[in-house]
Each structure stands twice: as C-alpha cells, then as structure tokens.
Amino acid sequence: MGKQLFAFIDTRRTKMKIAIYPGSFDPITNGHLDIIKRSAKVFDEVIVLVLVNPNKKGLFDIDERVKLIEKVTSSLENVKVESYNGLLVDFMKERNSRVIIKGLRAISDFEYEFQMALMNNKLDPNVETIFMMTRAEYSYLSSSSIKQVAVFGGCIKGLVPDEIINEVLLKSKNL
Ligand code: PNS
C-alpha cells in the first residue's frame, strides 16, 4: 500500500505540466505578457500558441507575431512560442497537454471565453480551461484598441512591451 502511494506521488512529480496560452496576439500586449509570466510560475512549461482567429483581420502575419512574442519572452526559460493552423485541441493532443490558460479582463470577456472553453471541452473532454484574472492596470488593454491608437499616431508606451513599440508603430503607419 505504502509503495503504491509512493509510486503514485512519484509519477505525478515527474509528469511535466504543459499549459497552452492560445490567442491571436496581433500584437502581444503588456496584459498578455503578464499572463505569460504568471503562468510560467505555475506550470513546468508554457507554450504561447499563435492561432488563426477566422473572425479577425490581422495586422501582423503569423510568423511576425511569433517573432515579436519570442523577442519579449526570451528571458523566460520555460516559455516557448509556436503557431498552428488548425484546432487548438488537435495541437494539444500532439503536445500531450490538457490545460488551456486564458486571461479574463472584465465581465464582458466572460461570454466569449465561456463559449470557447465549452467548445474546446466538447471537442476534447480531457481539455480544461483555466482563467487568470488580468491585473487591474492592464484590464483595459486589447490588441485591437492598441492598433487603433498606433494607426492614428498615438502613444503606445506602457501598452505593449518596449522592445516591440517601434515595430508596431511602423507596421500600423504602413497600413
Ligand atoms: O486572442 P483571440 O483572438 O481571442 O483568440 C481566439 C483563438 C485564436 C484562441 C480561437 O479563435 C481559436 O482557438 N482558434 C483556433 C481554432 C479553434 O480551435 N477553434 C475552436 C474553439 S472556438
């Protein structure tokens, strides 16, 4: 009995807990980065996954988004950045992950996120979505509002990581 219990604990210890943080990230914001840093403290590995949201028109292409995220997460050892063209649950099966991380900014996010969490759980009942509340200072940030500010020449300091401000401004100016 004691041995069985020990074997159980040991398996749980050695099993890597990989969480997926999916999104459009067009571009990554300080709110996203905060969720990534906090998730990296909780899970063994966090994969930031750039996915196609068919309802959104992009500013950056998928590879550019991946590069921007890599640039601002390079110091986080257990964070990887990838992209995928398909269903999130299929990617998760390939990676042996069962946990989706999502950030919740306000009650207005709830319905959209609730639907997605239920859909993903319907597509694969092994998959669970864990929500992290966005820090109050970032609760008003969204990639779309930042793009709007940038397109019209407003200041985006403090909204996206400093290292990518110029890239976002340049891309928005050339729209
Ligand atoms: O940052 P977003 O745009 O709110 O993220 C939405 C995203 C990309 C996570 C969602 O559109 C998605 O999961 N796309 C991949 C296709 C998929 O798996 N859809 C099923 C869930 S509705």
Side-chain angles (χ1 to χ4, degrees), residues 22-26 32 49-56 84 86-90 102 105 112-113 115-117 119-120 123 143:
S24 304
F25 305 109
D26 185 40
H32 293 135
L49 186 65
V50 182
L51 285 166
V52 177
N53 181 340
N55 301 325
K56 289 184 182 169
Y84 189 69
L87 285 177
L88 169 59
V89 291
D90 289 339
K102 291 303 289 273
R105 286 166 301 191
Y112 170 68
E113 293 297 345
Q115 277 182 3
M116 269 199 294
M119 178 59 84
N120 284 320
L123 292 171
S143 297

Side-chain angles (χ1 to χ4, degrees), residues 11-167:
T11 320
R12 290 192 58 151
R13 276 208 181 128
T14 50
K15 227 177 185 175
M16 283 264 288
K17 283 269 180 273
I18 304 172
I20 312 293
Y21 180 44
S24 304
F25 305 109
D26 185 40
I28 183 167
T29 68
N30 277 339
H32 293 135
L33 187 56
D34 178 56
I35 299 282
I36 294 169
K37 286 180 179 166
R38 286 158 61 198
S39 309
K41 289 185 189 153
V42 177
F43 293 94
D44 297 315
E45 184 176 299
V46 175
I47 303 179
V48 183
L49 186 65
V50 182
L51 285 166
V52 177
N53 181 340
N55 301 325
K56 289 184 182 169
K57 197 183 155 293
L59 174 65
F60 289 95
D61 70 33
I62 300 287
D63 289 342
E64 289 171 329
R65 294 179 210 179
V66 168
K67 288 209 175 85
L68 292 179
I69 304 169
E70 278 173 347
K71 196 170 183 180
V72 301
T73 58
S74 59
S75 63
L76 302 168
E77 277 178 13
N78 60 339
V79 172
K80 278 205 237 161
V81 190
E82 295 193 44
S83 64
Y84 189 69
N85 191 359
L87 285 177
L88 169 59
V89 291
D90 289 339
F91 177 87
M92 293 180 73
K93 243 179 236 144
E94 282 176 23
R95 293 314 161 90
N96 244 336
S97 168
R98 298 175 55 177
V99 181
I100 300 170
I101 300 283
K102 291 303 289 273
L104 269 188
R105 286 166 301 191
I107 297 172
S108 50
D109 278 346
F110 182 78
E111 200 176 337
Y112 170 68
E113 293 297 345
F114 184 61
Q115 277 182 3
M116 269 199 294
L118 290 186
M119 178 59 84
N120 284 320
N121 187 259
K122 167 84 179 114
L123 292 171
D124 184 346
N126 289 315
V127 160
E128 294 295 345
T129 303
I130 293 181
F131 292 100
M132 224 175 238
M133 299 313 295
T134 301
R135 259 184 232 292
E137 62 198 283
Y138 301 129
S139 61
Y140 67 99
L141 289 187
S142 73
S143 297
S144 7
S145 61
I146 292 170
K147 278 183 280 191
Q148 243 184 68
V149 174
V151 165
F152 293 109
C155 173
I156 58 169
K157 188 158 174 58
L159 312 184
V160 300
D162 284 350
E163 306 96 293
I164 67 165
I165 287 180
N166 284 343
E167 274 141 300

